[in-house]
Every structure is written in C-alpha cells, then in structure tokens.
C-alpha cells in the first residue's frame, strides 16, 4: 500500500519511519510513504502557498495552484507504480473516521493525503481534486499532519504482516465493534489487587467467555452507542446480562437492559 502526503512540513513524518509498528512496515515494504511539499510547486519567486481570504477575516487560505500541482505529481508518481490513488483531505469539517473506515482505507492500494494548514484550503481545490474529506475527531488541530499520521498508523497496522501475531488486529478494541477486555501480567497480586482467578485457571473456554463478557460489559458501560450500532445475538445478551447482575445486583439488571 502506498501513501503520498502533501504537506508543508514533510520533516514531521520522519517520526513514522523511526520506530514502532509503522516504521517496521515501511522498512519491510508493506507500506510506502512519499511526501510532497507544495512549496516546491509554487511558481513565483517567493514560493507562495497561501493568500488572504476573499471576504476578509483572520488567517490565510492555501492556494489552489501549488496544491493542485503537488497532488497531480503525486498521482502520476503513484500511477507509474501501478497505484490508482484516491485523494483524502484531513480537516475538522471531514466525516469522522472509525475502525470500519480504517479497514476500508486499508483495502485501497493508494491514498494521497492532503494535510492542510492555516484556515484551510481553497474550496475549489477540494471540489476539483479531493475524493474524501476526513476528520479524526471533534477538535481542531493546527494542521492535518498529525491527523494524517493517525490515519496512517491505524491503517498500516491492519496490513498483512504489519503486526507480530496474525490475529492481533482482530483482537483490538473496535475490531469486532466492541471495546477490548482488561489485560493483566505478572505479578499475580500488586497493591492488594489480584488478577481475576479465571485467567489463572488454564480453562481456555472459560477465559474466552470471561474476555467476551468483559468486552461486552465495558462497551455497555462506556460506549452504549457502539452496542446500539452493532446489535448483539442472544448469547451475547445473556453474557451481558450476567455482567450487569454481577456489577449491580439482580434488581438493576432488568432496568438497565433497555438502555443500549
Ligand atoms: N486538521 C485540523 N483538525 C483536524 C481534525 N480534527 N481531523 C483531521 N484533520 C484536522
């Protein structure tokens, strides 16, 4: 898979190739990253990439021409390697991304990520060159670079061979539309807190059942919106019911059942 990133700050992306899962995937050629600085595509002597907004107001707007030339160059370079890339613009106005989007993004062979700065980019560039507009959350970053890196990390770890265990991405939080269960390692007791006995039992079926129940319980407590979105089968409802009874006592379990 190939990422071309259009950014005024290509140096920021160095961190991705230094250490961790993404760095390893880049080294192994599981994913490729190329950065393109629109300043290099500005044709005036000052290499201007931004200008004042029509209609007035604070801040500057990124101009069409350097961005368009950078995107077109990235598209051609990707096409030369057999990659029909789609273009995504990272902005707070974009559609919020979830884990299902990350899987969809990972299934496309190439993406050109446009990281905006200043007040944004000229709308006509978005109309003419951008296929999708993405947000990583309801807050405003000072630029799209961090957002692009967040997307790249979440996507690259899904690619075959990127993680040590073939199934560890499946076991992630959100992998199955549920939050992850709690995890423990040695020592068995610390600060008076013991590891749940079932995890020491060696009974793999009981451990699986406990983990599923914890995942369901946590999702119900913390993210009822996720439970509503995915729905539960009868076996999961029964597990969740038992979790609620364990937590609140039998009287509150029935009332809470209606919540998600
Ligand atoms: N650029 C600035 N804020 C952003 C956000 N929340 N998501 C994606 N790109 C952004």
């Amino acid at each position: 898979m190939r990422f071309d990133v259009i950014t005024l700050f290509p140096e920021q992306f160095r961190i991705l190739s230094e250490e961790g899962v993404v760095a390893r995937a880049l080294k192994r050629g599981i994913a490729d990253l190329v950065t393109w600085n629109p300043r290099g595509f500005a044709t005036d002597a000052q290499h201007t990439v931004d200008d004042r907004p029509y209609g007035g107001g604070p801040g500057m707007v990124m101009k069409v021409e350097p961005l368009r030339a950078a995107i077109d160059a990235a598209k051609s370079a990707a096409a030369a390697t057999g990659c029909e890339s789609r273009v995504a613009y990272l902005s707070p106005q974009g559609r919020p991304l979830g884990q299902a989007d990350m899987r969809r993004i990972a299934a496309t062979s190439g993406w050109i990520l446009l990281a905006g700065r200043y007040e944004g980019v000229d709308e006509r560039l978005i109309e003419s060159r951008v296929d999708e507009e993405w947000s990583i959350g309801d807050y405003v970053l000072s630029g799209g670079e961090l957002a692009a890196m967040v997307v790249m990390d979440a996507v690259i770890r899904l690619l075959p061979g990127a993680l040590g265990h073939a199934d560890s991405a499946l076991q992630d939080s959100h992998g199955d539309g549920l939050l992850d269960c709690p995890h423990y390692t040695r020592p068995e007791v610390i600060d008076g807190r013991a590891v749940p006995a079932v995890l020491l039992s060696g009974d793999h079926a009981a451990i699986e059942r406990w983990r599923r129940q914890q995942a369901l319980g946590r999702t119900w407590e913390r993210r009822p919106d996720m439970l509503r979105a995915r729905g539960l089968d009868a076996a999961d409802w029964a597990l969740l019911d038992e979790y609620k009874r364990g937590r609140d006592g039998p009287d509150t379990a029935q009332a809470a059942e209606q919540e998600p």
Side-chain angles (χ1 to χ4, degrees):
M1 161 162 216
R2 173 177 170 129
F3 287 99
D4 291 273
V5 183
I6 315 295
T7 172
L8 289 169
F9 301 99
E11 288 292 294
Q12 292 191 4
F13 289 81
R14 273 231 311 262
I15 195 160
L16 285 181
S17 49
E18 277 169 7
E19 54 191 352
V21 168
V22 172
R24 213 173 49 221
L26 291 171
K27 277 189 199 101
R28 289 186 188 159
I30 292 168
D32 291 306
L33 166 62
V34 182
T35 54
W36 304 81
N37 192 335
R39 216 172 275 288
F41 293 85
T43 49
D44 62 329
Q46 291 78 35
H47 302 288
T48 310
V49 291
D50 60 330
D51 208 337
R52 287 167 297 150
Y54 278 117
M60 301 288 269
V61 175
M62 293 182 79
K63 290 165 67 64
V64 169
E65 300 95 317
L67 290 178
R68 187 180 57 196
I71 290 171
D72 290 349
K75 263 213 154 142
S76 302
T81 70
C83 221
E84 284 303 315
S85 296
R86 287 174 63 73
V87 180
Y89 171 43
L90 283 308
S91 98
Q93 283 70 244
R95 209 167 46 75
L97 295 178
Q99 189 64 15
D101 295 293
M102 299 307 179
R103 283 193 289 268
R104 181 181 65 81
I105 294 165
T108 297
S109 63
W111 286 95
I112 296 171
L113 304 183
L114 171 58
R117 282 268 152 178
Y118 313 115
E119 289 307 301
V121 312
D122 189 309
E123 191 66 21
R124 294 164 297 180
L125 185 276
I126 300 173
E127 288 165 6
S128 69
R129 290 295 188 278
V130 170
D131 299 308
E132 301 189 20
E133 195 166 339
W134 299 338
S135 164
I136 63 159
D138 290 339
Y139 37 78
V140 180
L141 304 167
S142 357
E145 281 80 7
L146 276 173
M149 286 189 253
V150 165
V151 172
M152 289 180 60
D153 186 291
V155 168
I156 288 173
R157 65 195 303 288
L158 296 177
L159 298 176
L163 292 180
H165 284 281
D167 57 353
S168 25
L170 266 182
Q171 286 175 11
D172 281 346
S173 281
H174 298 267
D176 183 26
L178 297 175
L179 298 182
D180 201 2
C181 63
H183 299 278
Y184 301 87
T185 186
R186 281 183 282 189
E188 258 181 58
V189 181
I190 188 161
D191 299 334
R193 296 168 191 273
V195 172
V198 64
L199 298 179
L200 311 173
S201 68
D203 179 343
H204 295 296
I207 292 169
E208 270 321 294
R209 183 179 189 280
W210 180 86
R211 286 183 169 153
R212 182 79 183 171
Q213 186 170 53
Q214 291 292 315
L216 288 163
R218 283 184 148 191
T219 313
W220 171 71
E221 283 164 351
R222 300 176 189 188
R223 295 293 304 276
D225 57 307
M226 285 172 64
L227 274 198
R228 274 193 295 272
R230 86 188 282 293
L232 296 181
D233 63 18
D236 278 341
W237 270 119
L239 271 183
L240 179 56
D241 229 32
E242 191 183 87
Y243 178 93
K244 291 177 191 172
R245 279 199 298 275
R247 201 191 64 144
D248 298 328
D251 290 348
T252 47
Q254 256 182 349
E257 199 164 278
Q258 309 305 322
E259 275 174 34

